[in-house]
Amino acid sequence: PDQLDALTSLAHQLAVGGQHAEVVALVDDTVAKIASAPLDAPPFTDLHRQVWLMNYKSIALRRMGRIDEAVGTLRQASRLGENGYTNVSQALNLGSLECDRGEPEAALAAADSAGEAISPYGRAVRAAIRQCAALQLGDQAMAHAALEELAQLADDAPMRYLEALLLAGRPDEAARWLATQLDAGDRRDDALGWAQDC
């Protein structure tokens, strides 16, 4: 009862089950409990997991068509620390969501707020956001630079690279890249999962 991890897992499973209103209610109740507790007596021992609860709330809100609230929730989560450091995960998720809704400037600002101390996969996600935003802004130079960065990070984020090739209008290269992923035993499952979702 003193760990957010279990509630985070529950929120994830509720989201998978399409029970979006239940996700929102669970997260709202939990965040209210955190906010009302004395600073010297937090109700949970793993408060850093709060950002992931809020992430699931944002997903649920988006699926319910409440896009502005979804963005606001992710924006709030991105301002909270992640394991004592800058919140890279929610900043990048916010950037992706902003790009998906056609707000390229906001997407770039969110991606930049992730900072520079990020993993190769995080750099690939940031490059994908930059490519998406650049194409919306008509900035071909930025889009090309982002695709080049993704090409260098393709081993760390193969499906991100595949999506970037498609977004760039290079379906033949994308098809060849997908074939190499299907041939790689350790990546086949991810590639098949991507193809099924696609």
Side-chain angles (χ1 to χ4, degrees), residues 39-173:
L39 290 177
D40 60 347
F44 302 101
T45 59
D46 54 349
L47 284 177
H48 64 278
R49 299 291 293 165
Q50 178 181 348
V51 296
W52 287 103
L53 267 178
M54 296 172 75
N55 198 89
Y56 287 122
K57 177 184 175 182
S58 176
I59 291 169
L61 289 167
R62 187 179 68 222
R63 290 176 180 172
M64 294 166 71
R66 294 161 59 181
I67 305 301
D68 289 340
E69 291 175 78
V71 170
T73 298
L74 260 187
R75 189 170 289 132
Q76 183 183 8
S78 71
R79 293 184 186 125
L80 299 175
E82 184 179 24
N83 296 321
Y85 299 97
T86 300
N87 190 338
V88 172
S89 300
Q90 277 64 51
L92 294 176
N93 290 348
L94 175 60
S96 295
L97 179 55
E98 291 284 26
C99 210
D100 287 347
R101 73 181 196 133
E103 297 289 344
E105 297 288 356
L108 290 171
D112 289 345
S113 75
E116 294 303 317
I118 58 178
S119 69
Y121 181 78
R123 290 200 322 269
V125 172
R126 185 179 59 195
I129 294 167
R130 287 177 175 164
Q131 182 203 26
C132 172
L135 290 172
Q136 290 180 21
L137 292 167
D139 188 334
Q140 293 303 317
M142 186 196 311
H144 179 74
L147 183 59
E148 289 298 309
E149 183 175 3
L150 277 159
Q152 294 171 10
L153 296 164
D155 286 337
D156 297 294
M159 296 300 101
R160 291 282 181 174
Y161 179 55
L162 175 61
E163 291 169 354
L165 287 170
L166 291 171
L167 200 57
R170 294 158 72 167
D172 293 340
E173 290 175 64

